[in-house]
Amino acid sequence: VRIVESGGDLVRPGGSLRLSCQISMILFSYYNQAWYRQAPGKQRTLVARITSREETEYLESLNGRFTISRDVDLSMVYLQMSNLSIDDSAVYYCWTGGWGVDYWGQGTQVTVSD
């Protein structure tokens, strides 16, 4: 399984960014996908998750600023982020799993700064 994230960048507070994740795996739609993030000195935290049934859940503190989606035909997962704040700065990791398997990408850096 190969997972490649992209879209991380330097953005100003209040800005928007879309992260993309290409997952090369058989039966992509049968698995769950998620985005996690990890800031320096902090634990990796679940940001958003989408299940094989297209159900979504989010880190509660995001207050609706982020949206996770996926394109089953392209085996892509996206994270649309808006109204970014400095606290959103982190390495964002794409994950897929379920059915006893667990795969991670290498991460993409998001930096929110003036």
Side-chain angles (χ1 to χ4, degrees):
V1 175
R2 184 165 178 259
I3 299 177
V4 179
E5 302 102 331
S6 61
D9 205 346
L10 170 63
V11 62
R12 292 187 176 184
S16 299
L17 209 56
R18 188 177 85 153
L19 304 183
S20 300
C21 174
Q22 174 75 59
I23 300 177
S24 301
M25 72 184 302
I26 297 172
L27 300 177
F28 168 90
S29 63
Y30 281 71
Y31 295 89
N32 304 321
Q33 288 83 40
W35 287 95
Y36 286 75
R37 69 185 182 187
Q38 187 169 20
K42 295 187 177 181
Q43 289 187 328
R44 192 172 296 189
T45 304
L46 175 66
V47 174
R49 189 173 79 111
I50 185 166
T51 71
S52 58
R53 297 181 180 180
E54 305 291 329
E55 298 160 330
T56 59
E57 64 175 300
Y58 296 90
L59 177 65
E60 189 173 349
S61 61
L62 294 175
N63 294 321
R65 297 184 294 115
F66 292 10
T67 302
I68 188 171
S69 61
R70 69 180 192 172
D71 186 322
V72 172
D73 292 334
L74 297 178
S75 297
M76 294 288 295
V77 186
Y78 305 99
L79 185 67
Q80 180 66 47
M81 306 184 291
S82 62
N83 194 21
L84 287 161
S85 72
I86 292 174
D87 290 341
D88 295 316
S89 297
V91 177
Y92 283 71
Y93 296 91
C94 182
W95 169 91
T96 189
W99 303 99
V101 300
D102 210 20
Y103 300 104
W104 292 90
Q106 294 300 306
T108 185
Q109 177 71 49
V110 172
T111 302
V112 185
S113 175
D114 286 324

